[in-house]
Amino acid sequence: MEPARERELVDRCRREEPGAFEELIEQFKNLVFALIARTVPDRSRAEDLAQDVFLRVHRGLPYFRGEARLSTWLYRIVVNVCSQERSEQRSRAASRHMSLDDPDSRVAAPSTVDRRFSDFELRDRLEKAIEQLPAQYRLLIAGHYLQGLQYEDLAEAMKMPLGTVKTQLHRAKRQLRELLEGDLK
Amino acid sequence: MTSDAMCTALADDIDAIAVGELTPDAAAAAHLSTCAACRAELEEARRLDKLLRERPVPTPAPGFTSRTIQRIQKAGWRREQIVDWIFNSALIAAALLVAAGLWIALEHTGLSSLSRDALDIFAGGATTLAQKVTPSLPLYAGATGLLVVALGLWWWASDAAL
């Protein structure tokens, strides 16, 4: 979305013009949901969190100064919502005395007998490997491989220098290759 | 640079090379053409990139926008209810304070006996008025009924005219 159109949409939302906020949701819902759903595996939880993002946007619009782009501000809210969810998950897991070394969540070692995985199996292993990544890397991978998100957007949303975003992304991919050892051959 | 050292140096750049963000220099390109391990790693990085690009994009369930708007409205109502509750509580508290202040003032200034007299006069006047009005109550009720019927007819006629 063009910056000028974004500003105009924000103004309309601030004036509480009928249908303006619906338009904002329509415009960004796919990106927001995809980002969250790629970092939070539970779909209904992902929808709740995506709604939280728009709820925060609605509350924050009167204070949005327009220095950053609306989309950047939105991604920043997504990053915050995901980090909050992560810390809540961690505390829930701690209260249940769950071990982080749960063997079920670990990527199984590739079988030496059957190394030829079908695409479906490979994708499934890829998803499991992504779940194994540190949360920051997971969010970077999710954002980078979604259409419309540039390195610059990620850097602004995550408050990181551009170079750090690129380095972390390459490290994330390297870690993924290590987790998928042999499956990509 | 030895071949092993070149392998180590390239390992950090393989993903950037795989996606075309980095072009290997002459030495790295020469190494890649001879080192099977680095070439395999580059292929793996390319395959991973392709797989990541092909990952299905999750989309929200239909009706997401309306559900979100409903949630926003509910949250707004809840906020308004809280504000209303605070406002009403403050109003009651203020009224109680005023009443208490008045009562204390009346007690301290000795005006309470005067106000009691004023209350007696008011109560006496109200009783006399009630005694005078009671016999005419059916008349007033009939007049009110007629007025309501007339207003109803007027409302019905103006509504039908539209």
Side-chain angles (χ1 to χ4, degrees), chain B residues 43-146:
Chain B
E43 274 315 301
E44 280 182 31
R46 281 190 182 133
R47 188 143 189 233
L48 175 68
D49 185 65
K50 187 171 174 278
L51 274 174
L52 286 169
R53 278 181 206 287
E54 286 169 358
R55 266 178 101 195
V57 178
T59 50
F64 174 84
T65 304
S66 55
R67 279 194 300 279
T68 308
I69 292 289
Q70 274 172 12
R71 224 182 119 185
I72 289 169
Q73 282 169 345
K74 251 187 218 166
W77 291 331
R78 218 170 295 141
R79 238 189 353 260
E80 277 173 24
Q81 273 177 339
I82 293 168
V83 171
D84 283 353
W85 186 86
I86 292 169
F87 179 76
N88 290 339
S89 306
L91 214 64
I92 290 167
L96 285 173
L97 275 173
V98 169
L102 270 175
W103 183 77
I104 291 166
L106 287 173
E107 282 296 312
H108 276 264
T109 53
L111 283 169
S112 58
S113 55
L114 270 176
S115 66
R116 248 174 251 129
D117 289 344
L119 203 68
D120 287 344
I121 291 166
F122 179 75
T127 314
T128 316
L129 185 72
Q131 279 167 353
K132 280 186 183 169
V133 164
T134 312
S136 317
L137 266 182
L139 186 72
Y140 293 143
T144 311
L146 279 173

Side-chain angles (χ1 to χ4, degrees), chain A residues 1-182:
Chain A
M1 195 184 211
E2 294 295 308
R5 262 201 71 203
E6 273 188 14
R7 271 196 299 276
E8 184 239 357
L9 184 58
V10 169
D11 286 343
R12 281 169 48 219
C13 289
R14 274 179 168 164
R15 289 197 300 268
E16 292 183 10
E17 220 171 83
F21 201 75
E22 279 92 331
E23 199 181 316
L24 188 146
I25 298 175
E26 281 294 325
Q27 190 65 44
F28 291 102
K29 68 176 182 185
N30 286 341
L31 199 64
V32 167
F33 182 79
L35 257 175
I36 295 173
R38 278 188 172 178
T39 46
V40 179
D42 179 4
R43 229 189 125 79
S44 71
R45 184 73 193 131
E47 171 153 341
D48 279 349
L49 293 175
Q51 287 183 359
D52 279 351
V53 168
F54 289 109
L55 206 72
R56 287 190 193 194
V57 170
H58 190 262
R59 273 188 206 147
L61 264 178
Y63 315 103
F64 178 62
R65 286 168 295 174
E67 285 163 4
R69 282 188 60 181
L70 172 66
S71 45
T72 309
W73 180 50
L74 249 155
Y75 305 145
R76 203 171 289 161
I77 296 175
V78 170
V79 171
N80 289 342
V81 163
C82 288
S83 328
Q84 211 174 318
E85 172 69 5
R86 210 158 56 228
S87 54
E88 276 170 24
Q89 264 179 354
R90 227 178 278 147
S91 63
R92 274 199 296 266
S95 68
R96 270 187 260 135
H97 303 288
M98 264 175 60
S99 163
L100 288 172
D101 278 334
D102 181 2
D104 289 340
S105 64
R106 211 181 292 154
V107 177
S111 153
T112 47
V113 181
D114 184 11
R115 276 192 175 274
R116 297 184 68 194
F117 292 99
S118 69
D119 270 5
F120 180 78
E121 282 171 314
L122 185 57
R123 286 205 179 102
D124 185 48
R125 293 177 75 83
L126 174 68
E127 293 305 321
K128 282 183 180 151
I130 289 171
E131 278 175 36
Q132 291 289 99
L133 289 178
Q136 180 102 325
Y137 286 0
R138 219 158 57 214
L139 200 62
L140 275 170
I141 291 276
H144 179 65
Y145 283 96
L146 276 177
Q147 258 191 341
L149 268 185
Q150 308 296 323
Y151 282 128
E152 290 78 6
D153 295 321
L154 287 169
E156 267 195 74
M158 300 181 97
K159 291 181 182 163
M160 270 193 234
L162 195 64
T164 313
V165 167
K166 286 183 181 178
T167 310
Q168 290 209 354
L169 200 58
H170 292 318
R171 279 188 194 149
K173 286 198 266 184
R174 196 173 169 183
Q175 210 166 316
L176 267 181
R177 281 191 285 120
E178 281 164 15
L179 283 163
L180 289 165
E181 52 170 333

